[in-house]
Amino acid sequence: MKRYGNLFERVVEYGNLEQAFHNAARHKTRRSEVIEYGSHLEANLLQLQRELITGTYRTSEYKTFIIYEPKERKIFKLPFRDRVVHWAIMQVIEPIWLSNFTRDTYSCIRGRGIHPLLYKLRRDLKADPEGTRYCLKIDVRKFYPSIDHEIMKQVIRRKLKDARLLALLDGIVDSAENGVPIGNYLSQFFANLYLSELDHIMKEEMGIRYYYRFADDIVLLDGNKEKLHGTLVFINHYLNNERALSIKPNYQVFPVESRGVNYVGYVTFHDYCLARKQNKKNLCREVAKLRKRGMSDEEIRIKASSRLGFMQHCNSIYLLKTLNMKTFSEVTNSSGNLTGDKYHIDDILNREIHLKGFEIKASKYKGECLIIQYDIYEQVKDKTGALLTDDDGSPKMDWVEHITFTGSEALIKQLKDVVLDEPCSAKIIKQPIGDRGKCFYKITDPD
């Protein structure tokens, strides 16, 4: 395995530290600690650079607090200057560590959040029902607090050999008394790296075709129940002896058809996907609370858009009805000034949209032109067009406004008599005609 050196100089380079400040400050620019640090940015970065170069930098004292989501978690928070250091390190070594992860590793990796994992799981279940008849689902007991410092350092050394960078990383690993602290930017990558060898063993030595890991939550699918039980024994032995970890006693081997795969917030079957019961409860409670405040249905849809967006990735038509989010067939148009970035109609086929308005007017070329305004759930961009991510590196998702121009006579005819006085949930599909490959566009209710 190739090991990388000569990295420390790149980490402490002033330009890298400056970029680390901007990354660490993203979406936090109004916080007092960020404003204070940025008000004397050059002096602060030069001081940080001197401490790193001379080896006098030490991780600051953690502040801790408890959150419940729903289980209790102890969160560790560092001063802003330490988060700049973490970003400076990751900007240099993230590509090296990413190359070590298999495609089955998710969580805190750009482009590999909850929903890419869900889509892959759904595709695999649908494509191979026989090969995914049974599921093994396991969870590591107290994963982050149980990561062994000495083992973690050895894992890091399998890819890195720069002595000064290793000393810096050792100090960060040892900054917490036990395990790696939840809340540190680097901890997310430490955790993924800690189990990356297991990912390779599962895929390359054990030949597990359907394997998924989201942090410490692991799911395996196979057509052979006994094979999964045997794999469970191997994983348990590996975690005990190679990583000083243990599996929670609530591990399960079960038929997928009997109760679905309860994973990353959804319950997925071979032919459909539902939201996890707790997520549905949370959505309904929020809607009920907002209704008690006297909010209109449109205001509720805006306030609950985050939870609603989560539900768009499963078969959630009844949840939409709970929110009074009407489907296209339930509305029978008010046109206005339509705004939003343009999408070609083929880019939004078979995706749920929230139809907000439309205009039909004479085309500059021939016939009539239809302009559709809608929101679609996708990764958010900043003013420069750069894709945004959350603090954990996963894509920042939300409902984004767009418009589409089309000369489709079928869509124009379908919408001409529609009065759209509020947003509705819809989907545009291509409807085939006969057996000659011809088709037309059609607006339908979402799945």
Side-chain angles (χ1 to χ4, degrees):
M1 180 182 291
K2 182 178 179 180
R3 298 174 69 218
Y4 294 81
N6 302 316
L7 301 172
F8 184 78
E9 291 75 12
R10 291 168 55 192
V11 171
V12 301
E13 184 183 41
Y14 184 85
N16 186 59
L17 293 174
E18 187 175 30
Q19 183 60 48
F21 162 78
H22 291 297
N23 283 329
R26 189 182 301 162
H27 309 311
K28 304 179 181 72
T29 53
R30 295 184 180 180
R31 295 186 182 179
S32 58
E33 59 176 345
V34 178
I35 295 172
E36 182 180 351
Y37 197 89
S39 63
H40 305 285
L41 181 59
E42 184 175 358
N44 286 328
L45 292 182
L46 288 174
Q47 174 63 27
L48 191 58
Q49 185 183 51
R50 281 192 295 271
E51 292 181 24
L52 291 168
I53 292 173
T54 59
T56 57
Y57 168 80
R58 298 291 182 271
T59 300
S60 305
E61 185 176 347
Y62 289 97
K63 292 182 179 179
T64 62
F65 56 94
I66 304 296
I67 64 171
Y68 301 88
E69 48 173 35
K71 60 184 179 182
E72 180 181 304
R73 293 185 187 276
K74 188 177 184 180
I75 306 300
F76 294 75
K77 182 181 178 182
L78 282 172
F80 184 73
R81 73 189 299 268
D82 297 276
R83 297 204 293 274
V84 173
V85 173
H86 290 196
W87 268 98
I89 294 171
M90 284 308 304
Q91 287 168 180
V92 174
I93 66 176
E94 182 180 12
I96 297 172
W97 282 355
L98 285 180
S99 67
N100 192 60
F101 299 144
T102 70
R103 283 297 306 168
D104 313 281
T105 306
Y106 294 81
S107 173
C108 307
I109 301 174
R110 297 180 193 277
R112 296 199 219 170
I114 287 174
H115 295 114
L117 170 53
L118 177 68
Y119 297 152
K120 186 175 190 300
L121 178 63
R122 293 187 69 174
R123 285 196 303 269
D124 291 343
L125 285 167
K126 188 173 184 178
D128 188 8
E130 284 302 311
T132 58
R133 286 181 64 192
Y134 297 99
C135 172
L136 165 61
K137 187 171 184 294
I138 59 178
D139 191 6
V140 178
R141 182 178 179 275
K142 295 188 179 298
F143 179 47
Y144 279 83
S146 300
I147 291 177
D148 184 274
H149 288 186
E150 295 308 313
I151 296 175
M152 185 75 257
K153 293 174 188 178
Q154 292 305 313
V155 170
I156 292 172
R157 280 162 172 76
R158 292 184 181 179
K159 294 295 287 185
L160 307 179
K161 62 181 181 181
D162 187 309
R164 299 177 75 186
L165 179 56
L166 288 171
L168 177 59
L169 289 170
D170 287 351
I172 294 173
V173 171
D174 289 332
S175 65
E177 184 177 350
N178 297 306
V180 296
I182 299 175
N184 269 4
Y185 180 51
L186 272 173
S187 294
Q188 305 162 0
F189 288 87
F190 286 157
N192 269 335
L193 203 63
Y194 201 69
L195 293 181
S196 62
E197 183 182 63
L198 177 63
D199 302 336
H200 285 278
I201 292 173
M202 288 293 102
K203 299 297 290 187
E204 298 159 13
E205 297 182 21
M206 301 289 288
I208 304 298
R209 182 176 181 183
Y210 301 113
Y211 172 85
Y212 320 86
R213 180 169 69 83
F214 191 87
D216 62 319
D217 293 330
I218 302 173
V219 162
L220 295 85
L221 302 173
D222 201 273
N224 188 314
K225 194 175 185 178
E226 288 69 29
K227 181 179 179 180
L228 291 178
H229 278 290
T231 305
L232 171 63
V233 173
F234 176 87
I235 293 175
N236 188 54
H237 182 270
Y238 173 87
L239 293 177
N240 289 168
N241 293 278
E242 301 296 329
R243 292 295 180 263
L245 298 172
S246 59
I247 294 175
K248 286 183 180 178
N250 63 346
Y251 64 84
Q252 307 166 58
V253 178
F254 57 91
V256 172
E257 279 303 309
S258 67
R259 48 189 162 130
V261 183
N262 191 337
Y263 198 38
V264 294
Y266 301 90
V267 182
T268 308
F269 295 81
H270 286 109
D271 297 320
Y272 62 95
C273 176
L274 303 174
R276 184 179 285 168
K277 186 175 181 179
Q278 187 60 48
N279 290 332
K280 290 189 285 188
K281 283 184 176 180
N282 291 341
L283 173 62
C284 292
R285 284 171 181 162
E286 182 173 357
V287 171
K289 181 174 67 175
L290 295 174
R291 282 189 175 140
K292 283 184 178 179
R293 295 180 184 175
M295 290 188 176
S296 67
D297 288 342
E298 178 60 21
E299 289 173 323
I300 290 174
R301 282 192 286 270
I302 294 171
K303 282 284 187 180
S305 60
S306 177
R307 294 191 189 278
L308 178 62
F310 190 86
M311 298 300 171
Q312 302 305 315
H313 298 272
C314 61
N315 302 100
S316 58
I317 189 67
Y318 293 107
L319 285 169
L320 290 176
K321 289 183 177 180
T322 300
L323 276 177
N324 280 341
M325 171 65 80
K326 295 181 179 179
T327 59
F328 177 73
S329 62
E330 295 174 312
V331 297
T332 67
N333 154 20
S334 60
S335 62
N337 295 322
L338 305 184
T339 60
D341 293 335
K342 285 189 284 187
Y343 266 171
H344 190 279
I345 191 168
D346 288 342
D347 293 333
I348 61 172
L349 289 178
N350 301 310
R351 297 175 63 186
E352 179 157 0
I353 62 173
H354 291 171
L355 188 59
K356 300 168 67 176
F358 64 89
E359 291 181 4
I360 300 172
K361 57 185 182 180
S363 170
K364 64 174 72 175
Y365 302 107
K366 180 183 177 182
E368 293 179 308
C369 174
L370 170 65
I371 310 168
I372 307 171
Q373 183 186 52
Y374 53 89
D375 289 342
I376 196 164
Y377 195 71
E378 64 181 9
Q379 189 170 3
V380 181
K381 299 178 181 179
D382 62 17
K383 293 180 180 179
T384 67
L387 294 172
L388 298 179
T389 58
D390 289 323
D391 292 341
D392 63 358
S394 60
K396 184 177 180 63
M397 307 293 289
D398 205 347
W399 290 94
V400 182
E401 187 175 75
H402 290 281
I403 57 173
T404 291
F405 295 80
T406 177
S408 167
E409 295 179 2
L411 288 183
I412 292 172
K413 182 178 179 181
Q414 188 179 9
L415 286 171
K416 259 189 174 173
D417 296 324
V418 171
V419 177
L420 186 64
D421 52 11
E422 62 177 291
C424 70
S425 184
K427 180 176 71 172
I428 299 178
I429 63 171
K430 269 188 176 181
Q431 187 78 34
I433 307 174
D435 57 359
R436 297 187 179 182
K438 293 185 177 182
C439 58
F440 64 92
Y441 294 108
K442 181 180 179 181
I443 299 179
T444 69
D445 293 345
D447 296 330

